[in-house]
Amino acid sequence: MNIIKRETEASHEIKYAHDSHRHENEHEYDHEHGHTDSHGHHHGHNHNHSHGHHHFDANGNKKGLAWALIITFSIMLLEFFGGLATNSLALLSDSGHMLSDSSSLVLSLVAVWFAAKPASSKRTYGYFRFEILAALLNGVTLFIIAGVIIWEAVGRFANPPEVSSGSMMLIAFIGLFANLLSAYFLMSKGDVKNNINLKSAYLHVLGDALGSVGAIAAGLIMKLFGWYVADPIISVLVAVLILRGAWGIVTHTVHVLMEGTPSGINETEVRQALESLEGVADVHDLHIWTITSGLDSLSCHILMKDGSDCQAVLQQAIRTVSDTFRISHSTIQVESSAVRHEELRI
């Protein structure tokens, strides 16, 4: 039985970039040893380690989050006191959303710091999953905020209060500018496309921007037509949009935590690619999952045809998994027809 592992080592500040920034540093070593266990079975192991790195500037992620936090917290205070002064639910709801955003940005910063910690004998995958947990918590808080906004808005439908629409629009314009500036820092310095932690923080900021746009629209309607029910109506619409983004974050993070096959990777195609290699009789016990954003993992057993060159096929399997499917951490167990093992539960 031969086992090959292809692992990615995490440095203290590693992020995995999209394909245009992809490069690999590979080194390999082999060692063999054999032992006989208490049942009289003989085991032979062959390990080959190849390390590939997808670097994304973790400092950029931290800077983007830090700038977004400073801006968001400042505008939260402005909108909160502005909402009290103008009696605007739209502003108060947006300031409440910004309070949650400030918390989520702090959480995302902590997650980036945790993810940079090295693996240990107790946590062999390191702390990468902390980013997924942070993203899940951010998604859940978005649901809670949207629910509170809708609840308060429903109470205002019957008797909408008078709102100082002019001041409300001025404050909302400032908030919109700040939100767009925060989004710019996250996009320009962080990986909001591929990193679910950064993406959840980014969606919080976009939710704030939508809230500011809603407040501006409500203020304009009230100023032109005196229709004060526009304030709770638009607040509900903004809340629905927030829920839509939150649902995507929650379903994604739960899928990762449930060890689901990464989006963009077809398990059947991976199996077929490995089985098409010359000398391969069968591929079984195939599992593909995500450790954290940008770091997918694979394990499988490959049954060899008698007389095939195991090491040559093994090397082909490594390259197929890495080059075709961009899976940077794989463990492949190669078996001959003489090898027997119990049927695995999963």
Side-chain angles (χ1 to χ4, degrees):
M1 182 186 302
N2 294 305
I3 299 178
I4 180 160
K5 291 186 177 180
R6 185 176 186 277
E7 304 173 304
T8 299
E9 294 178 336
S11 65
H12 288 286
E13 293 183 341
I14 189 167
K15 285 294 167 192
Y16 295 90
H18 31 76
D19 297 344
S20 61
H21 294 83
R22 181 176 181 270
H23 68 278
E24 295 188 355
N25 298 315
E26 298 190 346
H27 63 277
E28 301 180 350
Y29 65 91
D30 295 285
H31 65 275
E32 295 185 355
H33 63 275
H35 68 273
T36 303
D37 64 16
S38 60
H39 299 285
H41 298 134
H42 182 76
H43 301 269
H45 302 274
N46 177 278
H47 301 272
N48 176 302
H49 295 259
S50 174
H51 304 271
H53 304 274
H54 296 258
H55 291 283
F56 197 95
D57 188 3
N59 283 327
N61 286 338
K62 292 178 182 178
K63 289 178 182 178
L65 286 168
W67 275 110
L69 175 60
I70 293 170
I71 295 169
T72 300
F73 188 77
S74 300
I75 300 304
M76 177 206 72
L77 295 176
L78 175 65
E79 290 198 337
F80 175 73
F81 290 109
L84 292 177
T86 61
N87 198 28
S88 168
L89 174 61
L91 279 181
L92 288 174
S93 64
D94 197 37
S95 68
H97 189 200
M98 282 197 162
L99 175 61
S100 171
D101 282 358
S102 298
S103 301
S104 73
L105 289 168
V106 170
L107 182 61
S108 293
L109 274 169
V110 172
V112 170
W113 177 77
F114 258 102
K117 296 181 67 175
S120 65
S121 59
K122 186 176 181 180
R123 291 183 174 85
T124 57
Y125 277 122
Y127 293 81
F128 285 118
R129 277 288 173 85
F130 197 90
E131 289 191 302
I132 305 300
L133 294 174
L136 176 60
L137 184 57
N138 282 340
V140 171
T141 58
L142 283 171
F143 267 96
I144 296 172
I145 291 168
V148 170
I149 292 173
I150 293 174
W151 177 266
E152 182 65 23
V154 169
R156 290 198 174 198
F157 276 123
N159 188 25
E162 186 174 342
V163 177
S164 301
S165 56
S167 300
M168 170 184 166
M169 285 192 293
L170 176 61
I171 296 171
F173 268 115
I174 296 174
L176 177 60
F177 173 76
N179 290 323
L180 294 178
L181 189 61
S182 295
Y184 167 76
F185 278 116
L186 288 174
M187 288 186 66
S188 62
K189 296 184 179 297
D191 187 13
V192 298
K193 180 179 180 181
N194 299 307
N195 187 294
I196 189 65
N197 179 38
L198 267 289
K199 186 176 181 179
S200 67
Y202 179 68
L203 284 179
H204 267 274
V205 171
L206 284 187
D208 284 338
L210 285 173
S212 297
V213 171
I216 293 169
L220 185 61
I221 292 173
M222 289 183 288
K223 189 170 185 64
L224 293 177
F225 306 106
W227 193 37
Y228 293 107
V229 77
D231 189 43
I233 288 176
I234 290 181
S235 295
V236 170
L237 293 176
V238 170
V240 170
L241 292 175
I242 292 172
L243 284 173
R244 184 174 180 270
W247 177 252
I249 290 293
V250 170
T251 54
H252 187 159
T253 52
V254 169
H255 183 73
V256 171
L257 293 173
M258 291 295 292
E259 308 288 359
T261 302
S263 59
I265 296 179
N266 187 307
E267 188 265 358
T268 301
E269 291 180 358
V270 175
R271 184 185 300 275
Q272 290 174 346
L274 292 174
E275 289 181 341
S276 68
L277 298 177
E278 185 177 354
V280 173
D282 174 66
V283 174
H284 54 280
D285 296 325
L286 173 62
H287 300 285
I288 311 169
W289 68 98
T290 297
I291 297 174
T292 191
S293 300
L295 179 55
D296 297 328
S297 189
L298 173 148
S299 68
C300 71
H301 293 194
I302 294 181
L303 176 62
M304 303 296 301
K305 295 177 181 177
D306 293 338
S308 299
D309 186 342
C310 294
Q311 296 304 309
V313 174
L314 209 49
Q315 188 62 62
Q316 285 183 299
I318 296 172
R319 290 172 179 166
T320 297
V321 168
S322 175
D323 298 343
T324 304
F325 301 100
R326 301 193 180 281
I327 298 175
S328 55
H329 185 287
S330 61
T331 302
I332 301 173
Q333 178 168 302
V334 177
E335 304 168 349
S336 69
S337 59
V339 173
R340 295 289 184 270
H341 61 76
E342 294 181 3
E343 184 176 349
L344 301 181
R345 294 178 61 187
I346 56 174

